[in-house]
C-alpha cells in the first residue's frame, strides 16, 4: 500500500472488520476488505484446460464498463486490497491502466494478474510509473516444452525476460514495487516440477508462489488432477522447503478441481459453528457488476453497478450464506473446501483484542472525534457481550 498515513475511513473499516472476524454475527459492520474485479473475459492465449476451451458458447466474453466501475471507487477508500483479473487477460482491456490508476488513488493495495505476454515495454513502463503494488504472473512450468503445452500461445522465455526487465527497471529507479508473484495451476503434467518452479521464482525475485489445483470442467480430463494426492503433497513439501531456503512465501489454495462433481457431505460436526473469511470480507464482481462472496458460491448476491453496497452486504442472500455457515448448514459448494474452519473462542477473542488495539490507534490518529471513539468503543462492548453470551 502507498506509504502514507492510513485514512480515517480505512482505519474505521479495519476496526469494524476486526469485529466482523469474531464471527459472532451474520451481519457485517464493515465494507469489504478485499475486492476482485473481473475486468476482462477476453484472452489471446489458449490454455487447453481453461474453461474457455470447454464452454465455448457460454463464456460471456467482453470487458467491464469503465464508467460503471467508477461507481465502486468510493468503497475502495475503505478497503485493503483490490485485484483486477477475469477469465481472460486484464491487459487487453483498452482502459486497463485507468482502472489501476483509479484504484491506486484511493490508497488501496492494488494488484493484477497476467499470462506475462502482455508485459511489453510500454506496459512495463506504465506499471512502474503508476506504482502497481502486486503483479501476479501465471507460470505453470519451468520446463519450456511443458509450459508451451499448458500455456499455448505464451512462451516461457518471453515471459521470464519480461519479468526480469521489470526487476532491472525497479532496481534502476530504486523502487520496490510491483512485488512479483508466481501462480501455478498444478496437474499431472507439472507436479514433479514444483521444485523447479521455486528455482525459477528465485531467479525472477518473486516474493511469493501460489499453487492451486487445476480446475477441470471437462469430466473426461479428471485423471489430470493431482488434487489431494500423495504425489502432490510430496512435491509441494519440496517446494515449501525451497521456499523457506530462498525466503519466498509458498501458499496452496484448494480450487474445487471438479466443478461437475458433488463432494460427499461430511457428518455433522459436534462443534457446528464454522467460518470462511470470504463471506464476511470479500467482494467479487464480474464484468456486469454482479457480486459474489466467493468464486464457487453459485448465486449472485447483488449488483454493485445497480445498487449501493450498503444495501447489498447485509441483504438476505448474503446473510443466508453467513447464517448457514454459522449454523453448520454448509452449502454443497463449501463442503471439503480448505477455507472452511471451525470457529474457536480464541479466534473471536483475538479479533476483539485487535479491534480494541485499533481503537487506541484511532485515538492517536488526529481525525477522530471523541464521539467517533465512543461509538466504536460501544460496538466493541456490544460484541464482547455477544462473545460472553456465546461462550459462557
Amino acid at each position: 500500500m502507498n506509504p502514507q498515513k492510513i485514512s480515517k475511513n480505512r482505519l474505521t473499516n479495519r476496526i469494524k472488520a476486526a469485529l466482523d472476524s469474531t464471527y459472532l454475527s451474520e451481519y457485517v459492520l464493515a465494507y469489504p476488505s478485499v475486492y476482485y474485479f473481473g475486468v476482462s473475459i477476453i484472452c489471446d492465449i489458449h490454455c487447453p484446460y481453461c474453461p474457455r476451451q470447454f464452454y465455448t458458447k457460454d463464456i460471456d466474453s467482453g470487458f467491464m464498463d469503465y464508467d460503471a466501475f467508477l461507481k465502486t471507487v468510493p468503497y475502495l477508500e475503505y478497503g485493503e486490497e483490490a485485484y483486477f483479473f477475469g477469465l481472460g487477460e486484464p491487459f487487453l482491456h483498452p482502459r486497463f491502466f485507468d482502472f489501476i490508476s483509479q484504484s491506486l488513488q484511493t490508497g488501496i493495495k492494488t494488484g493484477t494478474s497476467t499470462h506475462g505476454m502482455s508485459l511489453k515495454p510500454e506496459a512495463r513502463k506504465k506499471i512502474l510509473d503508476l506504482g502497481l503494488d502486486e503483479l501476479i504472473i501465471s507460470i505453470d512450468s519451468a520446463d519450456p516444452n511443458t509450459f508451451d503445452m499448458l500455456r499455448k500461445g505464451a512462451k516461457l522465455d518471453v515471459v521470464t525476460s519480461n519479468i526480469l526487465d521489470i526487476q532491472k527497471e525497479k532496481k534502476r529507479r530504486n523502487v520496490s514495487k510491483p512485488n512479483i508473484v508466481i501462480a501455478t495451476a498444478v496437474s499431472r503434467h507439472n507436479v514433479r516440477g514444483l521444485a523447479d518452479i521455486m528455482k525459477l521464482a528465485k531467479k525472477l525475485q518473486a516474493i511469493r508462489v501460489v499453487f492451486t489445483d487445476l480446475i477441470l470442467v471437462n469430466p473426461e480430463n479428471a485423471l489430470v488432477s493431482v488434487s489431494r494426492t500423495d504425489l502432490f503433497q510430496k512435491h509441494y513439501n519440496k517446494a515449501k522447503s525451497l521456499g523457506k531456503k530462498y525466503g519466498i512465501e509458498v501458499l496452496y489454495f484448494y480450487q474445487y478441481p471438479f466443478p461437475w462433481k458433488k463432494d460427499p457431505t461430511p457428518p455433522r460436526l459436534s462443534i457446528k459453528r464454522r467460518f470462511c473469511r470470504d463471506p464476511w470480507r470479500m467482494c467479487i464482481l464480474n464484468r456486469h457488476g454482479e457480486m459474489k462472496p466467493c468464486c464457487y458460491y453459485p448465486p449472485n448476491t447483488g449488483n454493485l453497478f445497480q445498487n449501493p453496497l450498503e444495501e447489498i452486504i447485509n441483504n438476505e442472500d448474503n446473510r443466508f450464506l453467513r447464517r448457514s455457515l454459522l449454523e453448520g448448514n454448509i452449502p454443497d459448494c463449501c463442503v471439503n473446501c480448505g477455507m472452511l474452519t471451525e470457529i474457536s473462542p480464541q479466534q473471536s477473542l483475538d479479533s476483539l483484542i485487535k479491534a480494541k488495539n485499533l481503537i487506541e490507534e484511532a485515538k492517536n490518529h488526529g481525525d477522530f472525534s471523541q464521539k467517533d471513539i465512543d461509538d466504536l468503543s460501544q460496538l466493541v462492548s456490544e460484541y464482547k457481550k455477544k462473545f460472553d453470551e456465546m461462550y459462557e
Side-chain angles (χ1 to χ4, degrees), residues 98-328:
D98 292 331
F99 285 89
I100 298 300
S101 177
Q102 281 289 337
S103 179
L104 286 166
Q105 286 178 42
T106 69
I108 197 170
K109 175 185 174 183
T110 301
T112 191
S113 62
T114 176
H115 53 46
M117 297 298 287
S118 299
L119 301 175
K120 298 173 183 177
E122 184 178 348
R124 298 196 299 263
K125 181 178 184 301
K126 195 71 174 176
I127 285 169
L128 287 155
D129 289 346
L130 288 174
L132 181 74
D133 291 293
E134 187 166 284
L135 181 63
I136 306 166
I137 303 101
S138 295
I139 298 180
D140 287 343
S141 178
D143 172 71
N145 293 327
T146 305
F147 181 95
D148 288 353
M149 185 274 288
L150 291 172
R151 314 286 303 170
K152 188 176 180 181
K155 292 294 180 182
L156 181 61
D157 59 343
V158 175
V159 172
T160 55
S161 176
N162 289 341
I163 298 170
L164 289 171
D165 283 343
I166 289 174
Q167 297 291 28
K168 289 176 185 175
E169 182 62 15
K170 282 167 56 179
K171 185 175 182 180
R172 189 188 73 80
R173 296 190 186 198
N174 193 29
V175 296
S176 60
K177 296 185 294 186
N179 287 320
I180 300 298
V181 176
I182 303 302
T184 301
V186 184
S187 67
R188 291 196 180 274
H189 296 297
N190 61 2
V191 65
R192 291 175 175 82
L194 300 193
D196 292 329
I197 288 282
M198 296 306 304
K199 294 170 185 176
L200 179 59
K202 180 176 183 290
K203 176 183 176 183
L204 299 176
Q205 302 170 56
I207 66 159
R208 186 181 310 116
V209 175
V210 180
F211 295 110
T212 62
D213 298 292
L214 185 64
I215 302 173
L216 296 162
V217 298
N218 186 345
E220 294 179 4
N221 294 326
L223 293 179
V224 175
S225 176
V226 290
S227 178
R228 297 185 172 178
T229 63
D230 291 340
L231 179 63
F232 167 75
Q233 196 61 51
K234 172 185 174 182
H235 290 284
Y236 177 65
N237 288 342
K238 289 182 180 178
K240 288 279 285 185
S241 295
L242 284 176
K244 186 175 182 180
K245 177 181 177 181
Y246 298 152
I248 299 173
E249 183 181 19
V250 179
L251 300 175
Y252 163 69
F253 292 110
Y254 176 73
Q255 283 286 85
Y256 210 62
F258 311 117
W260 40 269
K261 179 181 178 183
K262 181 178 178 181
D263 285 333
T265 303
R268 191 176 182 87
L269 300 172
S270 56
I271 302 176
K272 66 179 183 178
R273 300 186 72 244
R274 310 281 278 177
F275 79 93
C276 166
R277 294 186 301 165
D278 293 349
W280 277 263
R281 67 165 189 142
M282 190 175 288
C283 173
I284 300 175
L285 296 180
N286 67 15
R287 76 181 188 93
H288 301 293
E290 294 167 334
M291 180 174 164
K292 287 176 177 285
C294 167
C295 291
Y296 302 112
Y297 189 61
N300 296 315
T301 57
N303 190 306
L304 192 48
F305 292 170
Q306 298 175 2
N307 302 105
L309 191 52
E310 297 89 335
E311 295 179 6
I312 298 174
I313 55 177
N314 281 314
N315 65 18
E316 177 53 33
D317 289 335
N318 280 300
R319 285 189 292 109
F320 174 79
L321 173 58
R322 298 183 203 116
R323 183 166 63 248
S324 297
L325 292 170
L326 293 176
E327 293 176 350

Side-chain angles (χ1 to χ4, degrees), residues 37-45 47 50 52 62-64 84-94 96-97 112-120 123 127 135-138 151 154 159 162:
F37 294 95
V39 295
S40 174
I41 315 298
I42 293 176
C43 196
D44 54 354
I45 69 171
C47 305
C50 177
R52 302 182 59 83
F63 295 126
M64 179 178 285
F84 294 83
F85 73 126
L87 192 61
E89 172 64 11
F91 283 78
L92 294 178
H93 196 301
F96 171 70
F97 290 110
T112 191
S113 62
T114 176
H115 53 46
M117 297 298 287
S118 299
L119 301 175
K120 298 173 183 177
I127 285 169
L135 181 63
I136 306 166
I137 303 101
S138 295
R151 314 286 303 170
V159 172
N162 289 341

